Amino acid sequence: MRWRLSYIRYLISRGHGKNIDKYLKEFNPHLNTMYSGKGGWGFPSKINEKCVYYDISKASEVLKEYFLECEMRNNDCNHKFNDVRELVIMGHGLESDKLYFELLSKEMPQLYSATIYTFKGEQAKELVRKAKYLKEQFKVKEIILKEY
């Protein structure tokens, strides 16, 4: 559990090593969301035309600081994707990234195709579902399926 270990290291580095259990109790529900297939944090979220925003107002100060530090490293919402012509997806169920796909679809007016790398033996029904979702979300003209 990479996130749990990262948070423990963060707590220790900030002098909260004696209260780790207390802080982990607050953090553990977020782990459930991060590893659920949905991804992201367990905070209430909303999306606007540029970014996913989490309401962290009810979190402890320590968790707020950790969250903000992680978000600065992992979520730069200032990218411009106007010239992107192909979206490449590396073998997963898509559910964990739906919020980001919604954002990206608004930022990629030139998108023409999506390539989905799938694992050998993935069910045809699942591939059709993924292709349909991407066609609807991104209005792509071409879906390319490749096995890895």
Side-chain angles (χ1 to χ4, degrees):
M1 290 233 192
R2 180 178 71 89
W3 282 101
R4 187 173 195 271
L5 181 58
S6 172
Y7 189 56
I8 289 170
R9 288 178 176 156
Y10 175 84
L11 292 170
I12 292 169
S13 74
R14 299 302 193 274
H16 299 291
K18 293 181 181 178
N19 296 315
I20 286 177
D21 289 337
K22 170 187 157 188
Y23 290 113
L24 283 177
K25 186 175 181 182
E26 179 186 21
F27 186 68
N28 283 337
H30 298 283
L31 289 174
N32 294 336
T33 305
M34 290 172 181
Y35 294 109
S36 69
K38 176 185 173 204
W41 292 81
F43 297 115
S45 61
K46 62 182 174 183
I47 190 171
N48 77 4
E49 58 201 47
K50 296 273 182 201
C51 289
V52 175
Y53 290 97
Y54 291 99
D55 178 3
I56 61 171
S57 62
K58 294 181 181 167
S60 68
E61 288 304 311
V62 173
L63 186 54
K64 284 179 190 177
E65 290 169 12
Y66 180 73
F67 167 82
L68 292 171
E69 188 174 299
C70 290
E71 287 300 290
M72 285 191 313
R73 283 193 316 257
N74 298 325
N75 189 13
D76 180 0
C77 295
N78 297 314
H79 291 286
K80 299 293 180 206
F81 300 104
N82 293 336
D83 296 329
V84 174
R85 306 266 306 141
E86 179 183 21
L87 177 68
V88 177
I89 298 170
M90 302 294 289
H92 67 81
L94 306 182
E95 282 71 22
S96 62
D97 293 322
K98 281 189 174 182
L99 286 175
Y100 298 104
F101 287 151
E102 187 175 325
L103 289 172
L104 286 173
S105 68
K106 295 174 186 173
E107 299 288 325
M108 298 176 153
Q110 302 296 323
L111 193 64
Y112 179 82
S113 68
T115 299
I116 305 171
Y117 283 86
T118 67
F119 62 89
K120 190 173 182 118
E122 188 166 4
Q123 298 291 318
K125 180 179 170 183
E126 182 64 10
L127 296 174
V128 168
R129 182 190 67 80
K130 289 178 181 182
K132 181 181 177 199
Y133 171 78
L134 292 171
K135 276 191 172 189
E136 290 172 0
Q137 184 67 49
F138 288 96
K139 311 293 187 248
V140 293
K141 315 243 181 311
E142 178 180 50
I143 300 286
I144 302 163
L145 301 174
K146 293 186 177 183
E147 278 189 0
Y148 62 92

